[in-house]
Coordinates of all heavy atoms in Angstrom, one line a residue:
M1 N 93.9 73.7 86.0 CA 94.8 74.7 85.6 C 94.1 76.0 85.5 O 94.7 77.1 85.9 CB 95.6 74.3 84.4 CG 97.0 74.3 84.5 SD 97.8 74.5 83.0 CE 99.0 73.3 83.0
E2 N 92.9 76.0 85.0 CA 92.2 77.3 84.8 C 91.9 77.9 86.1 O 91.9 79.1 86.3 CB 90.9 77.1 84.0 CG 91.1 76.8 82.6 CD 89.8 76.7 81.8 OE1 88.8 77.3 82.2 OE2 89.8 76.0 80.8
R3 N 91.7 77.1 87.1 CA 91.4 77.7 88.5 C 92.6 78.4 89.0 O 92.5 79.4 89.7 CB 91.0 76.6 89.4 CG 89.6 76.1 89.1 CD 89.1 75.1 90.1 NE 87.8 74.6 89.7 CZ 86.9 74.2 90.6 NH1 87.2 74.2 91.9 NH2 85.8 73.7 90.2
D4 N 93.8 77.8 88.8 CA 95.0 78.5 89.2 C 95.2 79.9 88.5 O 95.6 80.9 89.1 CB 96.3 77.6 89.0 CG 96.3 76.4 89.9 OD1 95.6 76.4 90.9 OD2 97.0 75.4 89.5
E5 N 94.9 79.9 87.2 CA 95.0 81.2 86.5 C 93.9 82.1 87.0 O 94.2 83.3 87.1 CB 94.8 80.9 85.0 CG 96.0 80.2 84.3 CD 95.7 79.9 82.9 OE1 94.8 80.5 82.3 OE2 96.5 79.1 82.3
D6 N 92.7 81.6 87.2 CA 91.7 82.5 87.8 C 92.1 83.1 89.1 O 91.8 84.2 89.4 CB 90.3 81.7 87.9 CG 89.7 81.4 86.5 OD1 90.1 82.1 85.5 OD2 88.8 80.6 86.5
R7 N 92.6 82.2 90.0 CA 93.1 82.7 91.3 C 94.2 83.8 91.1 O 94.2 84.7 91.9 CB 93.6 81.5 92.1 CG 92.5 80.7 92.6 CD 93.0 79.6 93.5 NE 91.9 78.6 93.8 CZ 92.1 77.3 94.0 NH1 93.3 76.8 93.9 NH2 91.1 76.5 94.2
G8 N 95.1 83.5 90.2 CA 96.2 84.5 89.9 C 95.6 85.8 89.5 O 96.0 86.9 89.9
Q9 N 94.6 85.8 88.6 CA 94.0 87.0 88.1 C 93.2 87.7 89.2 O 93.2 88.9 89.3 CB 93.1 86.7 86.9 CG 93.8 86.3 85.6 CD 92.9 85.9 84.5 OE1 91.7 85.8 84.7 NE2 93.5 85.8 83.3
D10 N 92.5 86.9 90.0 CA 91.8 87.5 91.1 C 92.7 88.1 92.1 O 92.4 89.2 92.6 CB 90.9 86.4 91.8 CG 89.8 85.9 91.0 OD1 89.4 86.6 90.0 OD2 89.2 84.8 91.4
A11 N 93.8 87.5 92.4 CA 94.8 88.1 93.3 C 95.4 89.4 92.7 O 95.6 90.4 93.4 CB 95.9 87.1 93.6
A12 N 95.7 89.4 91.4 CA 96.2 90.6 90.7 C 95.2 91.7 90.8 O 95.5 92.9 91.0 CB 96.6 90.3 89.3
Q13 N 93.9 91.3 90.5 CA 92.9 92.4 90.5 C 92.7 92.9 92.0 O 92.5 94.1 92.1 CB 91.5 91.8 90.0 CG 90.5 92.9 89.9 CD 89.2 92.4 89.2 OE1 89.2 91.2 88.8 NE2 88.3 93.2 89.0
A14 N 92.7 92.0 92.9 CA 92.6 92.5 94.3 C 93.7 93.4 94.7 O 93.5 94.4 95.4 CB 92.5 91.3 95.3
S15 N 94.9 93.1 94.3 CA 96.1 93.9 94.6 C 95.9 95.3 93.9 O 96.3 96.3 94.5 CB 97.4 93.2 94.1 OG 98.5 94.1 94.2
Y16 N 95.5 95.3 92.6 CA 95.2 96.5 91.9 C 94.2 97.4 92.6 O 94.5 98.6 92.8 CB 94.7 96.2 90.5 CG 94.3 97.4 89.7 CD1 95.2 98.1 89.0 CD2 93.0 97.7 89.6 CE1 94.8 99.2 88.2 CE2 92.6 98.8 88.8 CZ 93.5 99.5 88.1 OH 93.1 100.6 87.4
W17 N 93.1 96.8 93.0 CA 92.1 97.7 93.7 C 92.6 98.1 95.1 O 92.2 99.2 95.6 CB 90.8 96.9 93.8 CG 90.1 96.9 92.4 CD1 90.0 95.9 91.6 CD2 89.6 98.1 91.8 NE1 89.4 96.3 90.4 CE2 89.1 97.7 90.5 CE3 89.5 99.4 92.1 CZ2 88.6 98.6 89.6 CZ3 89.0 100.3 91.2 CH2 88.5 99.9 89.9
R18 N 93.4 97.3 95.8 CA 93.9 97.7 97.1 C 94.8 98.9 96.9 O 94.7 99.9 97.6 CB 94.7 96.5 97.7 CG 94.5 96.3 99.1 CD 95.2 95.2 99.8 NE 96.1 94.3 98.9 CZ 95.7 93.2 98.4 NH1 94.5 92.7 98.5 NH2 96.6 92.5 97.6
A19 N 95.7 98.9 95.8 CA 96.5 100.0 95.6 C 95.7 101.2 95.2 O 96.0 102.4 95.6 CB 97.5 99.7 94.4
N20 N 94.7 101.1 94.4 CA 93.8 102.2 94.0 C 93.1 102.8 95.2 O 93.1 104.0 95.4 CB 92.8 101.7 93.0 CG 91.9 102.8 92.4 OD1 92.3 103.9 92.5 ND2 90.9 102.4 91.7
T21 N 92.6 101.9 96.0 CA 91.9 102.4 97.2 C 92.8 103.1 98.2 O 92.5 104.2 98.8 CB 91.2 101.2 98.0 OG1 90.3 100.6 97.0 CG2 90.4 101.7 99.1
R22 N 94.0 102.6 98.3 CA 95.0 103.2 99.2 C 95.4 104.6 98.7 O 95.5 105.6 99.4 CB 96.3 102.3 99.3 CG 97.2 102.8 100.4 CD 98.4 101.8 100.5 NE 98.0 100.4 100.5 CZ 98.5 99.5 99.6 NH1 99.4 99.9 98.6 NH2 98.1 98.3 99.6
L23 N 95.6 104.7 97.4 CA 95.9 106.0 96.7 C 94.8 107.0 96.9 O 95.0 108.1 97.3 CB 96.2 105.8 95.2 CG 96.4 107.0 94.4 CD1 97.7 107.7 94.9 CD2 96.5 106.7 92.9
I24 N 93.6 106.6 96.7 CA 92.4 107.5 96.9 C 92.3 107.9 98.4 O 92.1 109.1 98.6 CB 91.1 106.8 96.5 CG1 91.1 106.6 95.0 CG2 89.9 107.6 97.0 CD1 89.9 105.7 94.5
A25 N 92.6 107.0 99.3 CA 92.5 107.4 100.7 C 93.6 108.5 101.0 O 93.3 109.5 101.7 CB 92.7 106.2 101.6
W26 N 94.8 108.3 100.6 CA 95.9 109.3 100.8 C 95.6 110.6 100.2 O 95.7 111.7 100.8 CB 97.2 108.7 100.4 CG 97.8 107.8 101.3 CD1 98.0 106.5 101.2 CD2 98.4 108.2 102.6 NE1 98.6 106.0 102.3 CE2 98.9 107.0 103.2 CE3 98.6 109.3 103.3 CZ2 99.5 106.9 104.5 CZ3 99.2 109.3 104.6 CH2 99.6 108.1 105.1
L27 N 95.1 110.6 99.0 CA 94.7 111.8 98.3 C 93.6 112.5 98.9 O 93.5 113.8 99.0 CB 94.5 111.6 96.8 CG 95.8 111.2 96.0 CD1 95.4 110.9 94.6 CD2 96.9 112.2 96.1
M28 N 92.6 111.8 99.4 CA 91.5 112.4 100.2 C 92.0 113.0 101.5 O 91.5 114.1 101.9 CB 90.4 111.3 100.4 CG 89.6 110.9 99.2 SD 88.7 112.3 98.5 CE 87.5 112.6 99.7
L29 N 92.9 112.4 102.1 CA 93.5 112.9 103.3 C 94.2 114.3 103.0 O 94.0 115.2 103.8 CB 94.5 112.0 103.9 CG 95.1 112.4 105.2 CD1 94.1 112.5 106.3 CD2 96.2 111.4 105.7
V30 N 94.9 114.3 101.9 CA 95.6 115.6 101.5 C 94.5 116.6 101.2 O 94.6 117.8 101.6 CB 96.5 115.4 100.2 CG1 96.9 116.7 99.7 CG2 97.6 114.5 100.6
W31 N 93.4 116.2 100.5 CA 92.3 117.2 100.2 C 91.7 117.7 101.5 O 91.5 118.9 101.6 CB 91.3 116.4 99.4 CG 90.1 117.3 99.1 CD1 90.0 118.2 98.1 CD2 88.9 117.3 99.8 NE1 88.7 118.8 98.1 CE2 88.0 118.3 99.2 CE3 88.4 116.6 100.9 CZ2 86.8 118.6 99.7 CZ3 87.1 116.9 101.4 CH2 86.3 117.9 100.8
V32 N 91.4 116.9 102.4 CA 90.8 117.3 103.7 C 91.8 118.3 104.4 O 91.4 119.3 104.9 CB 90.5 116.1 104.6 CG1 90.2 116.6 106.0 CG2 89.3 115.4 104.0
A33 N 93.1 117.9 104.4 CA 94.1 118.8 105.1 C 94.1 120.2 104.4 O 94.2 121.2 105.1 CB 95.4 118.1 105.1
V34 N 94.2 120.2 103.1 CA 94.3 121.5 102.4 C 93.0 122.3 102.6 O 93.1 123.5 102.6 CB 94.6 121.2 100.9 CG1 94.4 122.4 100.1 CG2 96.0 120.7 100.8
T35 N 91.9 121.6 102.6 CA 90.6 122.3 102.7 C 90.3 122.9 104.0 O 89.8 124.0 104.2 CB 89.5 121.4 102.2 OG1 89.8 120.9 100.9 CG2 88.1 122.1 102.2
F36 N 90.6 122.1 105.1 CA 90.1 122.5 106.4 C 91.2 122.9 107.4 O 90.9 123.7 108.3 CB 89.3 121.3 107.0 CG 88.1 120.9 106.3 CD1 88.0 119.8 105.5 CD2 87.0 121.8 106.2 CE1 86.9 119.4 104.8 CE2 85.9 121.5 105.5 CZ 85.8 120.3 104.8
V37 N 92.4 122.5 107.2 CA 93.4 122.9 108.2 C 93.9 124.4 108.1 O 93.9 125.1 109.0 CB 94.6 121.9 108.2 CG1 95.7 122.4 109.1 CG2 94.1 120.5 108.7
P38 N 94.3 124.8 106.9 CA 94.8 126.2 106.8 C 93.8 127.3 107.2 O 94.2 128.2 107.9 CB 95.2 126.4 105.3 CG 95.5 125.0 104.8 CD 94.5 124.1 105.6
P39 N 92.5 127.1 106.9 CA 91.6 128.2 107.4 C 91.5 128.2 108.9 O 91.2 129.3 109.4 CB 90.2 127.8 106.7 CG 90.6 127.0 105.5 CD 91.9 126.3 105.9
L40 N 91.7 127.1 109.5 CA 91.6 127.1 111.0 C 92.7 127.9 111.6 O 92.5 128.6 112.7 CB 91.7 125.7 111.5 CG 90.6 124.7 111.2 CD1 90.9 123.3 111.7 CD2 89.3 125.2 111.9
F41 N 93.9 128.0 111.0 CA 95.0 128.7 111.6 C 95.3 130.0 110.8 O 96.2 130.7 111.3 CB 96.2 127.8 111.6 CG 96.0 126.5 112.4 CD1 95.8 125.3 111.7 CD2 96.0 126.6 113.8 CE1 95.7 124.2 112.5 CE2 95.9 125.4 114.5 CZ 95.7 124.2 113.9
A42 N 94.7 130.3 109.7 CA 95.1 131.4 108.9 C 94.8 132.7 109.6 O 95.6 133.7 109.5 CB 94.3 131.4 107.6
R43 N 93.8 132.8 110.4 CA 93.5 134.1 111.1 C 94.6 134.4 112.1 O 94.9 135.6 112.5 CB 92.2 134.1 111.7 CG 91.1 134.2 110.7 CD 89.7 134.2 111.4 NE 88.7 134.1 110.4 CZ 87.6 134.9 110.4 NH1 87.5 135.9 111.3 NH2 86.7 134.8 109.5
D44 N 95.2 133.4 112.7 CA 96.2 133.6 113.7 C 97.5 134.0 113.1 O 98.4 134.5 113.9 CB 96.4 132.3 114.5 CG 95.2 131.9 115.3 OD1 94.3 132.8 115.6 OD2 95.0 130.7 115.6
I45 N 97.7 133.8 111.9 CA 99.0 134.2 111.2 C 98.8 135.6 110.6 O 98.0 135.8 109.7 CB 99.3 133.2 110.1 CG1 99.5 131.8 110.7 CG2 100.6 133.6 109.4 CD1 99.6 130.7 109.7
S46 N 99.5 136.5 111.1 CA 99.4 137.9 110.5 C 100.5 138.0 109.4 O 101.5 138.7 109.6 CB 99.6 138.9 111.6 OG 100.9 138.7 112.2
L47 N 100.2 137.4 108.3 CA 101.1 137.3 107.2 C 100.4 137.8 106.0 O 99.3 137.5 105.7 CB 101.6 135.9 107.0 CG 102.6 135.6 105.9 CD1 103.9 136.2 106.1 CD2 102.7 134.1 105.7
T48 N 101.2 138.6 105.2 CA 100.6 139.1 104.0 C 101.4 138.5 102.8 O 102.6 138.5 102.8 CB 100.8 140.7 103.9 OG1 100.1 141.2 105.0 CG2 100.2 141.2 102.6
V49 N 100.7 137.9 101.8 CA 101.3 137.3 100.7 C 100.8 138.1 99.4 O 99.6 138.1 99.2 CB 100.9 135.8 100.6 CG1 101.4 135.2 99.3 CG2 101.3 135.1 101.8
F50 N 101.7 138.7 98.7 CA 101.4 139.5 97.5 C 100.4 140.5 97.8 O 99.5 140.7 97.0 CB 101.0 138.6 96.4 CG 102.1 137.6 96.0 CD1 101.9 136.2 96.1 CD2 103.3 138.0 95.5 CE1 102.8 135.3 95.7 CE2 104.3 137.1 95.2 CZ 104.1 135.8 95.2
G51 N 100.4 141.1 99.0 CA 99.5 142.2 99.3 C 98.1 141.8 99.8 O 97.3 142.6 100.1
A52 N 97.9 140.5 100.0 CA 96.6 140.0 100.5 C 96.8 139.2 101.8 O 97.9 138.6 102.0 CB 95.9 139.1 99.5
P53 N 95.9 139.2 102.7 CA 96.0 138.4 103.9 C 96.2 136.9 103.5 O 95.7 136.4 102.5 CB 94.7 138.6 104.6 CG 94.0 139.7 104.0 CD 94.6 139.9 102.6
F54 N 97.0 136.2 104.3 CA 97.3 134.8 104.1 C 96.0 134.0 103.9 O 96.0 133.1 103.1 CB 98.2 134.3 105.2 CG 98.6 132.8 105.0 CD1 99.4 132.5 104.0 CD2 98.0 131.9 105.9 CE1 99.8 131.1 103.9 CE2 98.4 130.5 105.7 CZ 99.3 130.2 104.7
S55 N 95.0 134.2 104.8 CA 93.8 133.4 104.7 C 93.1 133.5 103.3 O 92.6 132.5 102.8 CB 92.8 133.7 105.8 OG 92.5 135.1 105.8
L56 N 93.1 134.7 102.8 CA 92.5 134.9 101.5 C 93.3 134.3 100.4 O 92.8 133.6 99.5 CB 92.4 136.4 101.2 CG 91.9 136.8 99.8 CD1 90.4 136.3 99.7 CD2 92.0 138.3 99.6
W57 N 94.7 134.4 100.5 CA 95.5 133.7 99.5 C 95.4 132.2 99.5 O 95.3 131.6 98.4 CB 97.0 134.1 99.8 CG 97.9 133.7 98.7 CD1 98.2 134.4 97.6 CD2 98.6 132.4 98.6 NE1 99.1 133.7 96.8 CE2 99.3 132.5 97.4 CE3 98.7 131.3 99.4 CZ2 100.1 131.4 97.0 CZ3 99.5 130.3 99.0 CH2 100.2 130.3 97.8
V58 N 95.3 131.6 100.7 CA 95.1 130.2 100.8 C 93.8 129.8 100.1 O 93.8 128.8 99.3 CB 95.2 129.7 102.2 CG1 94.7 128.2 102.3 CG2 96.6 129.8 102.8
A59 N 92.8 130.5 100.4 CA 91.5 130.1 99.9 C 91.4 130.4 98.4 O 90.8 129.6 97.6 CB 90.4 130.9 100.6
A60 N 91.9 131.5 97.9 CA 91.8 131.8 96.5 C 92.8 131.3 95.6 O 92.6 131.1 94.4 CB 91.8 133.4 96.4
Q61 N 94.0 131.0 96.1 CA 95.1 130.5 95.2 C 95.6 129.1 95.6 O 95.8 128.3 94.7 CB 96.3 131.5 95.2 CG 95.9 132.9 94.8 CD 95.5 133.0 93.4 OE1 96.1 132.3 92.5 NE2 94.5 133.8 93.1
G62 N 96.0 129.0 96.8 CA 96.7 127.7 97.2 C 95.8 126.5 97.1 O 96.3 125.5 96.5
A63 N 94.6 126.5 97.6 CA 93.8 125.3 97.6 C 93.5 124.8 96.2 O 93.7 123.6 95.9 CB 92.5 125.5 98.4
P64 N 93.0 125.7 95.3 CA 92.7 125.2 93.9 C 94.0 124.6 93.2 O 93.9 123.7 92.4 CB 92.2 126.4 93.2 CG 91.6 127.3 94.3 CD 92.5 127.1 95.4
I65 N 95.1 125.2 93.5 CA 96.4 124.7 92.9 C 96.6 123.3 93.4 O 96.9 122.4 92.6 CB 97.6 125.6 93.2 CG1 97.4 126.9 92.4 CG2 98.9 124.9 92.8 CD1 98.4 128.0 92.8
V66 N 96.4 123.1 94.7 CA 96.6 121.7 95.2 C 95.6 120.8 94.7 O 95.9 119.6 94.4 CB 96.6 121.8 96.8 CG1 96.7 120.4 97.4 CG2 97.8 122.6 97.3
Y67 N 94.4 121.2 94.5 CA 93.3 120.3 93.9 C 93.7 119.8 92.5 O 93.6 118.7 92.2 CB 92.0 121.0 93.9 CG 91.5 121.4 95.2 CD1 90.6 122.5 95.3 CD2 91.8 120.8 96.4 CE1 90.1 122.9 96.5 CE2 91.3 121.2 97.6 CZ 90.5 122.3 97.7 OH 90.0 122.7 98.9
V68 N 94.2 120.7 91.7 CA 94.7 120.4 90.4 C 95.9 119.4 90.5 O 95.9 118.4 89.7 CB 95.0 121.6 89.5 CG1 95.8 121.3 88.2 CG2 93.8 122.4 89.3
L69 N 96.8 119.6 91.4 CA 97.9 118.7 91.5 C 97.5 117.4 92.0 O 98.0 116.3 91.6 CB 98.9 119.3 92.5 CG 99.7 120.5 92.0 CD1 100.6 121.1 93.1 CD2 100.5 120.2 90.8
I70 N 96.4 117.3 92.9 CA 95.9 116.0 93.3 C 95.4 115.2 92.1 O 95.6 114.0 91.9 CB 94.8 116.2 94.4 CG1 95.5 116.6 95.7 CG2 94.0 114.9 94.6 CD1 94.5 117.0 96.8
A71 N 94.6 115.9 91.3 CA 94.0 115.2 90.1 C 95.1 114.8 89.1 O 95.1 113.7 88.6 CB 93.0 116.2 89.4
W72 N 96.1 115.6 88.9 CA 97.2 115.3 88.1 C 98.0 114.1 88.6 O 98.3 113.1 87.9 CB 98.2 116.5 87.9 CG 99.4 116.2 87.2 CD1 99.6 116.1 85.8 CD2 100.7 115.9 87.8 NE1 100.9 115.8 85.5 CE2 101.6 115.6 86.7 CE3 101.2 115.8 89.1 CZ2 102.9 115.3 86.9 CZ3 102.5 115.5 89.3 CH2 103.4 115.2 88.2
Y73 N 98.3 114.1 89.9 CA 99.0 112.9 90.5 C 98.2 111.7 90.4 O 98.8 110.6 90.1 CB 99.4 113.3 92.0 CG 100.1 112.1 92.6 CD1 101.5 111.9 92.3 CD2 99.5 111.2 93.4 CE1 102.2 110.9 92.9 CE2 100.2 110.2 94.0 CZ 101.6 110.0 93.7 OH 102.2 109.0 94.3
Y74 N 96.9 111.7 90.7 CA 96.1 110.5 90.6 C 96.1 110.0 89.2 O 96.3 108.7 89.0 CB 94.6 110.9 91.0 CG 93.7 109.7 90.9 CD1 93.7 108.7 91.9 CD2 92.8 109.5 89.8 CE1 92.9 107.6 91.8 CE2 92.0 108.4 89.8 CZ 92.1 107.4 90.7 OH 91.2 106.3 90.6
E75 N 96.0 110.8 88.2 CA 96.0 110.3 86.8 C 97.3 109.7 86.5 O 97.4 108.6 85.9 CB 95.7 111.5 85.9 CG 95.7 111.1 84.4 CD 97.0 111.1 83.7 OE1 97.9 111.8 84.1 OE2 97.1 110.2 82.8
R76 N 98.4 110.3 86.8 CA 99.8 109.7 86.6 C 100.0 108.4 87.3 O 100.5 107.4 86.7 CB 100.9 110.7 87.0 CG 100.9 112.0 86.3 CD 101.4 111.9 84.9 NE 102.8 111.4 85.1 CZ 103.8 111.8 84.3 NH1 103.6 112.6 83.3 NH2 105.0 111.3 84.5
R77 N 99.6 108.3 88.5 CA 99.8 107.1 89.3 C 98.9 106.0 88.8 O 99.3 104.8 88.7 CB 99.5 107.4 90.8 CG 99.8 106.2 91.7 CD 101.2 105.8 91.7 NE 101.4 104.7 92.6 CZ 102.0 103.6 92.2 NH1 102.6 103.5 91.0 NH2 102.1 102.5 93.0
M78 N 97.6 106.3 88.5 CA 96.8 105.2 88.0 C 97.2 104.8 86.6 O 97.1 103.6 86.2 CB 95.3 105.7 87.9 CG 94.7 105.8 89.3 SD 94.8 104.3 90.3 CE 94.0 103.2 89.3
D79 N 97.7 105.7 85.8 CA 98.3 105.3 84.5 C 99.4 104.3 84.6 O 99.5 103.2 84.0 CB 98.7 106.5 83.7 CG 99.1 106.2 82.3 OD1 98.4 105.4 81.6 OD2 100.2 106.7 81.8
R80 N 100.3 104.5 85.6 CA 101.4 103.6 85.9 C 100.9 102.3 86.4 O 101.3 101.2 86.0 CB 102.3 104.2 86.9 CG 103.6 103.4 87.1 CD 104.6 104.0 88.0 NE 104.5 105.5 88.1 CZ 104.9 106.2 89.2 NH1 105.3 105.6 90.2 NH2 104.7 107.5 89.2
L81 N 99.9 102.3 87.3 CA 99.3 101.0 87.8 C 98.6 100.3 86.7 O 98.7 99.0 86.6 CB 98.3 101.3 88.9 CG 98.8 101.7 90.3 CD1 97.7 102.1 91.2 CD2 99.6 100.5 90.9
D82 N 97.9 101.0 85.8 CA 97.3 100.3 84.7 C 98.3 99.6 83.8 O 98.1 98.5 83.3 CB 96.4 101.3 83.9 CG 95.2 101.7 84.6 OD1 94.8 101.0 85.6 OD2 94.6 102.7 84.2
R83 N 99.4 100.3 83.5 CA 100.5 99.7 82.6 C 101.1 98.5 83.3 O 101.3 97.5 82.7 CB 101.5 100.8 82.3 CG 101.2 101.6 81.1 CD 102.3 102.5 80.7 NE 102.2 103.8 81.5 CZ 103.2 104.3 82.1 NH1 104.4 103.8 82.1 NH2 103.0 105.4 82.8
E84 N 101.3 98.6 84.6 CA 101.9 97.4 85.3 C 100.9 96.3 85.3 O 101.3 95.1 85.1 CB 102.2 97.8 86.8 CG 103.3 98.8 87.0 CD 103.5 99.2 88.4 OE1 102.7 98.8 89.3 OE2 104.4 100.1 88.6
R85 N 99.6 96.5 85.4 CA 98.6 95.5 85.4 C 98.5 94.8 84.0 O 98.3 93.6 83.9 CB 97.3 96.0 85.8 CG 96.2 95.0 85.9 CD 95.0 95.5 86.5 NE 94.0 94.5 86.7 CZ 92.8 94.5 86.4 NH1 92.3 95.6 85.8 NH2 92.0 93.5 86.6
R86 N 98.7 95.6 83.0 CA 98.7 95.0 81.6 C 100.0 94.4 81.2 O 100.1 93.8 80.2 CB 98.4 96.1 80.6 CG 96.9 96.6 80.6 CD 96.7 97.6 79.5 NE 97.7 98.7 79.7 CZ 97.4 99.9 79.6 NH1 96.1 100.3 79.4 NH2 98.3 100.9 79.8
G87 N 101.0 94.5 82.1 CA 102.3 93.8 81.8 C 103.2 94.7 81.0 O 104.1 94.2 80.3
G88 N 103.0 96.0 81.1 CA 104.0 96.9 80.5 C 103.7 97.3 79.1 O 104.5 98.0 78.4
T89 N 102.6 96.8 78.5 CA 102.3 97.1 77.1 C 101.6 98.4 77.0 O 100.9 98.8 78.0 CB 101.4 96.0 76.5 OG1 100.2 95.9 77.2 CG2 102.1 94.7 76.5
D90 N 101.7 99.1 75.9 CA 101.0 100.4 75.7 C 99.6 100.2 75.2 O 98.9 101.2 75.1 CB 101.8 101.3 74.8 CG 103.1 101.8 75.5 OD1 103.1 101.8 76.8 OD2 104.1 102.1 74.8
A91 N 99.2 99.1 74.7 CA 97.9 98.9 74.1 C 96.8 98.8 75.1 O 97.0 98.5 76.2 CB 97.9 97.7 73.2

């Protein structure tokens, strides 16, 4: 019987780490997109945002805001996964 419980725990842990790895991969994809894609096209866009060129605004304001949001989302999602793994208890 212990082996069945161990297998169940191993499967739950594998599922947890699969979800964690998938989340990290998606957030890294967002990070790469925010970091490298806008600067590639920013010079082609003759747009002024709050009196500054768009490329400067993206680099100075947009990207750091998205980085903070990525960290915030990761924390929230992992907290939810941790609670699900513990069975919904707060301890």
Side-chain angles (χ1 to χ4, degrees):
M1 238 202 223
E2 287 183 29
R3 288 184 183 210
D4 290 339
E5 289 178 14
D6 289 343
R7 287 183 190 148
Q9 288 176 350
D10 289 344
Q13 186 171 3
S15 174
Y16 173 82
W17 284 109
R18 221 178 3 261
N20 185 14
T21 305
R22 191 176 318 120
L23 176 63
I24 290 171
W26 279 107
L27 293 177
M28 288 298 292
L29 183 64
V30 170
W31 176 83
V32 166
V34 167
T35 301
F36 296 111
V37 173
L40 292 175
F41 299 105
R43 289 183 186 228
D44 297 336
I45 301 172
S46 59
L47 179 66
T48 302
V49 178
F50 299 118
F54 180 70
S55 58
L56 176 67
W57 188 88
V58 167
Q61 301 295 323
I65 290 169
V66 173
Y67 300 153
V68 169
L69 290 174
I70 287 171
W72 174 81
Y73 180 77
Y74 179 77
E75 184 275 329
R76 297 284 298 214
R77 183 67 182 126
M78 286 309 299
D79 187 46
R80 190 177 332 151
L81 283 174
D82 289 341
R83 275 188 272 131
E84 290 172 4
R85 184 169 186 230
R86 287 185 304 229
T89 61
D90 289 337

